[in-house]
Amino acid sequence: MNTIRPLLYKEWIKSRTVTLIAFGVALLCLFYTLYNFRTALHLKGVVHLWSVMIDREALFVERLRHIPMLLGCVVATAQMVPEVLQKRLKLTLHLPITDARGTCYMLLFGVGIIVVYIAIMLIGIASYYGCYMPRELLLRILRSMIPWCLAGPSAYFLTSWVILEGRLMQRIVALLISVGLLLLYFSAQTPEAYPAGMMVTLLLLTVFSSILPLHAVNRFRKGFIH
């Protein structure tokens, strides 16, 4: 516990400005989505919105599609760029804890921010939309948002991996792989397009992506840099 608190505080001091701005912008996107839904509700009526959702496969949350992913990229950049440019990673690896443990604390701080936003987003959508929509349509929205939510932590881990890789060629390869993997979360354009098997695949992909920054730090430790 005595080691955890200084590490988390270090991450907060290092990335708080960018993180707070990004988090605030993401919240504004959520509030704007809720406001637009409220406006459409008052202008068209709830029955019309139900009809649009069924006939045109609309969700009324499309503006939030890429927000978790973008937030993950920004938070990872705010955390990891100073570690690389200011040589802070070397100091972190000399703390009296294992390399994996120290890296995990760094990653938990960042991914925790993403998870908090995702929770606020889902609770906000479920609470507000649930007042006007039947259970089936609400579940349709929430299930359709699952890949977008998983893209948030995955983008955070993949961006961290790209930045922490020491050699330019490795960063380019990591970047290309990361872009390809993130596209999988957005390949479907219709609501509930992903079957259960694909959802499990995306979940496993998110878990797998969490290992990649640890691999990059391990390579850094062994001297595979620049």
Side-chain angles (χ1 to χ4, degrees):
M1 184 63 68
N2 292 334
T3 306
I4 297 176
R5 288 181 179 177
L7 277 174
L8 296 180
Y9 183 70
K10 175 181 75 74
E11 295 304 311
W12 168 248
I13 293 298
K14 177 178 59 178
S15 60
R16 60 182 175 182
T17 301
V18 175
T19 296
L20 286 175
I21 292 174
F23 198 90
V25 172
L27 285 179
L28 286 177
C29 292
L30 173 60
F31 295 148
Y32 184 67
T33 299
L34 297 177
Y35 173 78
N36 275 354
F37 176 76
R38 178 178 178 273
T39 302
L41 189 67
H42 287 184
L43 292 177
K44 301 294 185 179
V46 66
V47 176
H48 175 77
L49 296 187
W50 294 355
S51 176
V52 170
M53 288 188 66
I54 295 172
D55 297 336
R56 302 181 187 177
E57 296 186 332
L59 293 175
F60 299 106
V61 292
E62 284 82 1
R63 288 183 179 85
L64 301 175
R65 182 181 182 89
H66 297 99
I67 298 301
M69 181 192 69
L70 293 175
L71 182 61
C73 293
V74 172
V75 173
T77 301
Q79 270 190 278
M80 303 306 169
V81 167
E83 292 288 334
V84 174
L85 294 183
Q86 300 176 14
K87 310 299 182 182
R88 296 181 179 182
L89 186 57
K90 291 183 179 180
L91 297 177
T92 302
L93 296 180
H94 283 84
L95 293 174
I97 55 175
T98 63
D99 298 346
R101 191 175 178 184
T103 306
C104 284
Y105 290 154
M106 292 171 54
L107 297 175
L108 285 174
F109 173 85
V111 80
I113 294 173
I114 314 302
V115 170
V116 168
Y117 174 76
I118 291 172
I120 293 174
M121 180 179 70
L122 293 178
I123 292 173
I125 294 296
S127 300
Y128 193 73
Y129 284 41
C131 295
Y132 304 99
M133 291 186 176
R135 181 174 178 271
E136 292 77 9
L137 291 180
L138 179 61
L139 290 178
R140 185 186 192 189
I141 293 174
L142 297 178
R143 282 195 291 263
S144 299
M145 294 177 69
I146 291 176
W148 312 348
C149 295
L150 291 176
S154 185
Y156 171 79
F157 292 129
L158 292 172
T159 303
S160 299
W161 174 42
V162 172
I163 296 173
L164 291 173
E165 280 290 355
R167 292 175 178 172
L168 178 60
M169 185 55 64
Q170 292 166 349
R171 285 177 180 166
I172 294 174
V173 172
L175 178 61
L176 293 175
I177 293 174
S178 298
V179 171
L181 293 178
L182 288 175
L183 287 176
L184 296 176
Y185 294 90
F186 304 99
S187 59
Q189 301 298 322
T190 56
E192 295 185 295
Y194 290 107
M198 187 60 182
M199 289 290 194
V200 173
T201 300
L202 293 178
L203 178 60
L204 293 176
L205 178 59
T206 304
V207 174
F208 170 74
S209 66
S210 68
I211 303 173
L212 297 175
L214 296 172
H215 173 68
V217 170
N218 185 54
R219 290 169 61 84
F220 180 93
R221 181 68 166 180
K222 291 180 178 180
F224 296 115
I225 56 174
H226 305 293

